[in-house]
Amino acid sequence: MSPEMRVGRDGRLRPRRKGAVQPLAIAWMALVWCLFWRDFSVANALSGAVLGIGVQLAFPLPPLRMDGRLRIIGLLRLVWMFLSQMLVASVEVSTHVLRREHPKPAVVEVDLTSESDFVMTLVSLITTLIPGSVVVEARRSTHTLFIHVLDVGDDRGVEEFRQRTLGVEQYVLGIMTQPPKPEEVVR
Amino acid sequence: MSWDQVSDVIAAVCFVAAAFFAAVAAIGVIRFPDLLTRMHAATKPQTVGLLFALVGLGLRLGEPSAIGILVLVGLFQCATAPIASHMMSRAAFRAGQVRQDLLVADELSPVMDREEPRGAP
């Protein structure tokens, strides 16, 4: 994640190349490189690290604000929630397919409470991976997701789905320690 | 029963589950009425099926280096599949390839013309 943006020659905003290389990302890409070769030798790790630096210089990512530390318990709870929901929902979709029922789909608007792009990305990834829901449109300015749901049944189902997605957001918020709100700092 | 036999049985169950979900995905594509509902059938049970197949393979092979590759396959599948299905359904919705008569509620179409400014932050 590069720390800042710059205005390019064509007048468009681009991530700055300076400071885009991060040690954690280099370590991750070296690990992936070793896994690809199925061989953990020093030469492999070094060439993986060099490649990682090259990739980060060539494709600098836009800045991502992440305050707070990682909470392992929160992460485990998120992974558990995700895997169990994925399994339950695939069985639900499968019964729909096999019973020849026509599903009752809907497009539901979910206004996320968090202002973070990181949270919005994770929530969209999770809802799209869980069977029966796919993000059709995402608005970054208001942090709103529009989700196509395979089967809601009726208007009550729409509200239920909205609450469930907001619940997913709470799980995602739980993986980081939250920074204090501005008004709490003032007091 | 030794651990080898137990892991073989679990692997077999995983493979059957994987085949089941892949088959359901294919049937769903035929049976569902419009593009977006078919997308649900085509992309999701298939991902779950692949994850089951990877778990089964990992148990059957039992080699650390092979499991490393399998974990990578699973991670990359989970990272890329949502993007593909999102882009396709977004394009489908914008192209009007949605059967409005089937929707119970549609909260997007009324605000569709209020686009937000494009571009990087």
Side-chain angles (χ1 to χ4, degrees):
Chain A
M1 263 41 75
S2 109
E4 48 197 315
M5 309 289 291
R6 68 184 172 90
V7 181
R9 246 170 293 168
D10 52 358
R12 281 170 61 185
L13 269 174
R14 284 171 196 290
R16 200 180 278 281
R17 235 170 273 277
K18 198 183 115 201
V21 180
Q22 291 200 334
L24 203 65
I26 297 174
W28 164 244
M29 282 192 238
L31 175 70
V32 170
W33 189 249
C34 287
L35 285 172
F36 280 159
W37 285 101
R38 297 175 69 168
D39 175 27
F40 285 88
S41 66
V42 178
N44 257 342
L46 277 180
S47 49
V50 169
L51 261 172
I53 294 171
V55 166
Q56 290 181 69
L57 283 177
F59 307 105
L61 290 169
L64 184 65
R65 285 252 312 279
M66 282 207 294
D67 316 311
R69 282 180 304 110
L70 188 72
R71 288 176 62 212
I72 300 291
I73 297 174
L75 187 66
L76 289 179
R77 279 180 62 202
L78 177 75
V79 169
W80 173 249
M81 180 278 298
F82 168 61
L83 288 179
S84 55
Q85 277 220 28
M86 199 162 170
L87 209 60
V88 169
S90 0
V91 172
E92 273 175 20
V93 171
S94 305
T95 49
H96 264 292
V97 170
L98 296 177
R99 273 197 196 150
R100 290 173 179 277
E101 293 171 335
H102 264 229
K104 296 192 177 64
V107 177
V108 182
E109 174 182 356
V110 180
D111 217 342
L112 297 180
T113 50
S114 163
E115 293 287 300
S116 155
D117 289 343
F118 174 69
V119 171
M120 181 168 153
T121 311
L122 266 188
V123 172
S124 334
L125 273 180
I126 290 170
T127 37
T128 306
L129 267 174
I130 290 174
S133 52
V134 56
V135 175
V136 175
E137 182 89 25
R139 300 232 158 132
R140 186 164 174 267
S141 53
T142 51
H143 292 93
T144 312
L145 297 176
F146 294 89
I147 303 171
H148 183 269
V149 195
L150 179 65
D151 189 68
V152 287
D154 49 16
D155 289 342
R156 240 192 34 232
V158 171
E159 203 46 52
E160 243 166 56
F161 180 82
R162 212 190 315 269
Q163 292 310 322
R164 220 171 62 210
T165 309
L166 290 174
V168 170
E169 191 195 5
Q170 288 308 314
Y171 272 99
V172 171
L173 284 172
I175 69 174
M176 301 290 248
T177 51
Q178 292 308 311
K181 298 242 167 61
E183 60 263 25
E184 287 166 17
V185 175
V186 172
R187 262 173 231 161
Chain B
M1 259 202 325
S2 69
W3 163 245
D4 274 358
Q5 282 169 314
V6 175
S7 73
D8 272 5
V9 169
I10 302 175
V13 171
C14 285
F15 284 135
V16 171
F20 168 77
F21 283 120
V24 164
I27 300 170
V29 171
I30 301 173
R31 285 194 180 166
F32 278 163
D34 74 335
L35 196 147
L36 280 176
T37 46
R38 280 182 183 157
M39 287 270 315
H40 286 293
T43 55
K44 307 319 168 38
Q46 181 263 113
T47 310
V48 178
L50 178 77
L51 290 182
F52 268 116
L54 292 176
V55 172
L57 263 178
L59 285 170
R60 191 74 190 78
L61 295 172
E63 259 177 80
S65 65
I67 291 172
I69 293 258
L70 295 176
V71 169
L72 279 185
V73 171
L75 268 183
F76 286 134
Q77 175 77 17
C78 285
T80 51
I83 320 267
S85 48
H86 164 65
M87 287 320 279
M88 269 166 71
S89 40
R90 183 170 185 267
F93 202 94
R94 286 174 173 243
Q97 295 293 318
V98 181
R99 288 210 14 217
Q100 296 285 345
D101 54 316
L102 292 176
L103 289 179
V104 174
D106 180 3
E107 297 172 346
L108 176 54
S109 294
V111 292
M112 198 62 177
D113 44 333
R114 271 195 276 129
E115 292 253 3
E116 66 172 351
R118 300 253 149 234

